[in-house]
């Protein structure tokens, strides 16, 4: 347990040692005069030292040596650190996705794979943490996670589970069917959770396993605590597996968690905080006494020792869960906070006393406070009462609160403790103010950006009492002050500052600047000047006069004078991301590193001598190669029809007017009126068109469905996803929801999907069992089994039908890691079953109880990689065959070159399979394809309003029959195929 937070201002102002509970005499807060004097200490007196890189939170913490050195992987590079400071890095420049240390009981001296690292599919071993990393081989899929196993380091991939021996050598496959997650406590004791949620325990090093699912129901995660296996169950329950293999429920876990850094008992930073103390200090901290920083966390102000990264003191504040930020003004340190109903200013010298509140109900969404560091604070809005109604944006004729740079025409400036001064702009300037800057003694400067390229007749500078108004033209060269921007509003902004002679310097929104910012100086006469950023700058993070810029070649430059000048800095000690995320006067967050300190010119600039890194444009990942490929050839000429100027799916007798297209699975499309569903009422019709599933003739079924069928909540269904249900010799579809919106009435009434009373979670597979449909829905840790009674009436496309009532039979709680499997559903004989198959084709089957929705024990099946066509002599029906429907993305593809110009897109497909422990056979398949002969554009993107697929069926003996279907706007092409079978 960490020590309790302090509730006075003492530890924030004086040395933390004088405020510890070990002091024998009671602690009393310092006098107000002493607190004020400490808070007003010049930032230059805070010794941050030369800028340095630190590691606040490592990507992978590996271990702590006896000398107190932490070994970790940060931004892909191996580093050693003491406290927060990086003291050593690996000599090579290799970057890794992850790393771990082999289990202690498996390691011999100088073991070649004492440390296991991986990058995508390739696995490396190293005898020393910073030593040479040698390749051990490549896996069939990228590594997703690691775990300790009885004889080495376990690696989980989408295509199976592998183990690396500390002695080195290629990774070997771990033969555990349905493995989702597993963990060993020692050389003999280990626990495995399967994809269907069953638990298997070994006490003899993996030679045998016993089923402990009844004792560990709904187990989801495993960790090692001390000498015990700690198993987390659904909800708040847990169990322990002790050294004898006994499962204990009446004892709390003891000891540290393996592979987790030991707790720092001297660190008062809340354990539940989402960021570290150093991250918070770099993001929005202030320089404080003795080289420390002042920052905030949930409900408290923290003093952070920048040398160790620890929070040495906490001051509880009354704002609870409000968002807060610290700042420094002329007479001390303050804290500003915001909640949905109010904004608050707190005085830190008095222990967090609330000095002023501002009402926020219905207030526009703009920046709340503006600070001129060390000088003054202002609130964007009136001093009393609610914010006034905003004038319309004169440029965009819209509300200025919708991501606009326009600000309130009223500004409230803090003159002294408890004394605030309100400034109001004249009506002529009220619609164009883009920034306020507070000044000492309650004065203020308003920056007004008038639309246009030049000022016409308006004075550049006007002074009215303590309010100074500076006017520029929005597009006055070199300015380009955008009307709207993508940047979010801030609780506290430090963007602009006013010098004693009236010059404005800082950062303004720009339509052409990196991160939509430009470094600008406006002289006392109101003439603007823009300062150049480093060449090829792509992003910049700023805080007052400080800023960090990143270039296209991953070089970093800093500024400490509001962007007037920039100096190159040394990169972080990694080859990882150098993206500056946020900055303060303490430093910057850069990727997983934090840079503490700034070079204000007193230190020589460090030249980055590393070669520039290329920064290629983002490319959509190429789909994974298929396990097996369907070998087909053209069996005849193509047949097509086309009607010009039509936007319907395929050919129609008359042209269909332009409308907004949508996608229905990969088998159909819809057209919605361009005005879309309107909030005032659902008007118009949706034109639905689709090709029935597994129909070799590939006719187009059309239906016109009123949009009012969607119900009272209007939305535009750009895409309707489908789940697949096996119904005897047919495959039928059900509608699944996307982004919480259900368009099932459109496809139900069109006759494409089974009406089940709405949508189910995506993905969904199911089977018709008697008069009911059994559905398995969802993925990962959120799955359900439900049943729906089939409608008793025959449906007519275009007419509404009554749906059956869907009833949830049970919830499934697969463990973490089960998401690497795809699910299939069907029947074995007359009994429903579910099959899980991984990316390598390994498959297990579990019986599905049709009444309770529970899954029975797993049974290994043949690998999908051994798929054969159903017409193959080896695929004669057998009693233990399970007939299922399997949705997939890339598991089945097309043989290269068999259909010239046609390739599998790797985006969607489903297959009907007969599966047993000895073989797996393909009866029918549909898969999305690309036909370069008819494509309007290159790439893997499937545009809405089109259908491109291959349908193939294997019935009887001999080759199978297939059809290539390509449907576009006003055009359709079909071509018969002959499919010989499956190739690898």
């Amino acid at each position: 347990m960490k020590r309790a937070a302090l509730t006075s201002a003492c530890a924030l102002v004086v040395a933390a040692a004088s405020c510890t509970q070990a002091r024998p005499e009671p602690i009393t807060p310092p006098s107000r005069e002493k607190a004020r004097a400490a808070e007003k200490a010049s930032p230059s007196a805070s010794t941050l030292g030369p800028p340095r890189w630190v590691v606040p939170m490592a990507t992978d913490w590996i271990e702590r040596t006896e000398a107190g050195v932490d070994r970790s992987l940060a931004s892909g590079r191996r580093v050693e650190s003491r406290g927060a400071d990086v003291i050593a890095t690996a000599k090579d420049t290799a970057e890794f996705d992850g790393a771990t240390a082999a289990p202690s009981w498996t390691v011999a001296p100088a073991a070649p794979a004492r440390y296991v690292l991986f990058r995508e599919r390739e696995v490396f071993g190293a005898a020393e943490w910073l030593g040479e990393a040698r390749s051990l081989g490549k896996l069939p899929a990228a590594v997703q996670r690691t775990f300790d196993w009885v004889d080495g380091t376990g690696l989980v991939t989408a295509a199976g589970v592998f183990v690396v021996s500390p002695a080195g050598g290629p990774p070997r496959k771990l033969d555990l069917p349905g493995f989702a997650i597993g963990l060993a406590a020692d050389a003999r004791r280990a626990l495995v959770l399967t994809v269907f949620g069953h638990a298997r325990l070994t006490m003899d090093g993996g030679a045998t396993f016993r089923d402990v699912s009844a004792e560990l129901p709904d187990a989801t995660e495993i960790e090692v605590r001390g000498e015990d296996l700690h198993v987390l169950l659904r909800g708040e329950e847990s169990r322990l597996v002790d050294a004898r293999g006994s499962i204990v429920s009446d004892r709390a876990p003891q000891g540290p968690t393996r592979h987790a850094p030991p707790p720092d008992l001297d660190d008062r930073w809340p354990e539940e905080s989402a960021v570290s103390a150093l991250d918070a200090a770099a993001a929005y901290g202030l320089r404080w006494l003795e080289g420390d920083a002042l920052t905030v966390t949930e409900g408290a102000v923290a003093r952070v020792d920048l040398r160790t990264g620890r929070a040495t003191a906490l001051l509880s504040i009354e704002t609870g869960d409000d968002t807060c930020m610290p700042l420094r003004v002329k007479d001390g340190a303050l804290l500003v906070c915001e909640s949905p109903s109010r904004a608050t200013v707190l005085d830190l010298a008095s222990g967090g006393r609330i000095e002023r509140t501002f009402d926020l109900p219905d207030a526009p969404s703009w920046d709340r406070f503006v600070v001129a560091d060390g000088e003054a604070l202002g609130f964007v809005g009136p001093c009393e009462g609610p914010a006034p109604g905003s004038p319309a944006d004169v440029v965009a004729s819209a509300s200025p609160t919708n991501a606009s740079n326009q600000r309130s025409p009223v500004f409230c400036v803090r003159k002294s403790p408890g004394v605030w001064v309100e400034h109001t702009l004249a009506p002529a300037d009220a619609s164009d103010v883009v920034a306020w800057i507070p000044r000492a003694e309650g004065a203020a400067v308003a920056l007004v950006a008038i639309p246009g390229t030049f000022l016409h007749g308006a004075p550049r500078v006007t002074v009215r009492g303590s309010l100074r108004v500076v006017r520029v033209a929005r597009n006055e060269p070199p300015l380009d002050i955008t009307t709207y921007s993508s940047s979010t509003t801030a609780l506290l902004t430090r963007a602009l500052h006013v010098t004693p002679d009236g010059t404005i310097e800082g950062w303004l929104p720009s339509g052409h600047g990196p991160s939509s910012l430009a470094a600008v100086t406006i002289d006392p006469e109101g003439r603007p000047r823009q300062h150049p950023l480093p060449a090829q700058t792509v992003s910049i993070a700023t805080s007052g006069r400080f800023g960090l810029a990143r270039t296209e070649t991953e070089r970093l430059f800093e500024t400490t004078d509001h962007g007037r000048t920039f100096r190159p800095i040394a990169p972080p000690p990694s080859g990882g991301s150098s993206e500056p995320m946020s900055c303060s006067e303490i430093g910057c967050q850069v990727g997983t590193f934090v840079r503490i300190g700034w070079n204000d010119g007193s230190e020589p600039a460090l030249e980055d001598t590393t070669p520039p890194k290329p920064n290629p444009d983002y490319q959509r990942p190429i789909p994974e190669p298929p396990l097996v490929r369907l070998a087909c050839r053209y069996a005849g000429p193509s047949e097509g029809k086309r009607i010009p100027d039509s936007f319907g799916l395929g050919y129609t007798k008359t042209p269909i007017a332009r409308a907004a297209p949508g996608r229905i699975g990969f088998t159909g499309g819809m057209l919605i009126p361009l005005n879309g569903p309107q909030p005032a009422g659902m008007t118009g019709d949706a034109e639905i068109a689709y090709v029935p599933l597994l129909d070799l003739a590939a006719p187009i079924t059309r239906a016109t469905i009123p949009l009012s069928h969607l119900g009272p909540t209007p939305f535009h269904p750009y895409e309707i996803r489908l789940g697949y249900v096996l119904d005897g010799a047919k495959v039928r579809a059900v509608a699944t929801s996307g982004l919480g919106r259900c368009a099932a009435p459109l496809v139900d009434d069109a006759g494409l999907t089974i009406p089940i009373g709405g949508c189910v979670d995506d993905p969904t597979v199911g089977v018709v069992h008697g008069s009911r449909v059994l559905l398995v829905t969802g993925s990962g840790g959120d799955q359900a089994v439900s049943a729906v009674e089939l409608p008793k009436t025959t449906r007519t496309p275009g007419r509404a039908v009554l749906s059956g009532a869907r009833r949830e039979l049970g919830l499934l709680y697969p463990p973490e890691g089960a998401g690497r499997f795809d699910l299939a559903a069907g029947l074995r004989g007359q009994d429903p079953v579910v099959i899980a198959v991984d990316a390598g084709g390994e498959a297990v089957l579990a019986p599905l109880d049709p009444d309770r929705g529970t899954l029975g024990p797993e049974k290994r099946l043949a690998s999908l990689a051994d798929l054969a066509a159903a017409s193959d002599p080896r695929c004669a029906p057998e009693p233990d065959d399970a007939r299922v429907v399997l949705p997939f993305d890339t598991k089945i593809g097309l043989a290269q070159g068999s259909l010239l110009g046609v390739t599998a897109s790797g985006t969607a497909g489903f297959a009907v399979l007969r599966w047993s422990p000895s073989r797996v056979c393909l009866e029918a398949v549909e898969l999305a394809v690309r036909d370069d002969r008819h494509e309007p554009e290159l790439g893997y993107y499937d545009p809405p309003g089109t259908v491109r697929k291959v349908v193939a069926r294997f019935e009887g003996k001999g080759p199978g029959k297939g059809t290539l279907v390509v449907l576009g706007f006003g055009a359709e092409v079909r071509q018969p195929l002959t499919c010989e079978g499956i190739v690898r």
Side-chain angles (χ1 to χ4, degrees), residues 748-767:
D748 287 353
D749 296 349
L752 172 60
T753 51
I754 302 173
I756 58 174
C759 292
V760 288
D761 290 339
D762 185 58
T764 291
V765 292
V767 61

Side-chain angles (χ1 to χ4, degrees), residues 561-576:
D561 55 8
H562 295 96
R564 288 175 179 265
T565 59
F566 283 85
R567 290 175 296 276
I569 67 171
S574 77

Side-chain angles (χ1 to χ4, degrees), residues 123 149 201 229 305 473 494 608 616 659 711 724 728 841 886 936:
V123 182
W149 195 239
L201 177 66
L229 285 166
D305 186 335
R494 296 176 163 90
D608 182 4
Y724 298 98
L886 170 70

Side-chain angles (χ1 to χ4, degrees), residues 289-493:
L289 303 176
E290 301 172 344
D292 289 353
L294 198 68
T295 188
V296 293
T297 183
E298 293 85 349
V301 182
R303 178 171 177 170
V304 179
D305 186 335
L306 297 176
R307 294 160 295 185
T308 63
R310 296 171 180 153
T312 58
L314 291 181
L315 172 65
S316 298
I317 52 180
E318 301 178 12
T319 56
D321 296 330
D322 292 7
T323 302
C324 299
M325 291 187 71
L327 62 106
R328 183 186 295 103
V329 291
K330 186 176 181 179
D331 57 354
L334 303 174
L335 192 72
V336 292
C337 300
E338 179 184 19
S339 70
S341 60
R342 68 174 187 172
T344 310
V345 180
L346 297 94
D347 179 13
L348 290 178
S350 61
R353 179 184 59 83
I354 295 178
E355 178 183 300
R356 184 65 185 257
T357 60
F358 300 90
D359 293 331
L360 294 183
D362 303 319
S365 179
W366 49 43
D367 298 338
R368 293 295 174 218
F369 292 96
V370 184
V371 62
D373 283 312
E375 184 177 357
L377 171 69
F379 172 74
V380 184
C383 292
E384 301 291 345
S390 303
D393 191 304
V394 297
V395 175
S397 300
S399 168
T401 64
N402 182 20
S404 172
N405 292 316
Q406 187 171 327
R407 293 296 176 257
S408 168
V410 185
F411 190 51
C412 185
V413 181
R414 183 180 184 271
K415 181 178 181 180
S416 60
V419 180
W420 294 69
V421 178
E422 184 172 289
H423 300 276
T424 303
L425 287 174
D429 296 319
S431 298
D432 300 309
V433 59
V434 295
W436 285 97
I437 310 167
R439 303 206 67 185
E441 304 301 325
V445 174
L447 181 60
V448 175
I450 298 175
T453 306
F454 301 100
L455 293 178
H456 297 285
R460 287 190 175 272
V461 179
T462 300
V463 178
R464 190 177 74 237
S466 60
L467 174 63
R468 185 168 180 261
V469 180
V470 178
R471 303 176 185 86
V472 296
R474 283 185 181 266
N475 302 108
E476 177 178 354
L479 300 183
D480 182 19
I481 303 175
T482 55
T483 305
Y484 290 89
S485 72
S486 58
S487 61
T488 57
T489 57
L491 167 62
L492 181 67
T493 178

Side-chain angles (χ1 to χ4, degrees), residues 557-583:
F557 294 80
E558 70 175 340
T559 179
T560 58
D561 55 8
H562 295 96
R564 288 175 179 265
T565 59
F566 283 85
R567 290 175 296 276
I569 67 171
S574 77
S577 170
S578 59
E579 178 68 31
M581 297 183 292
S582 58
C583 294

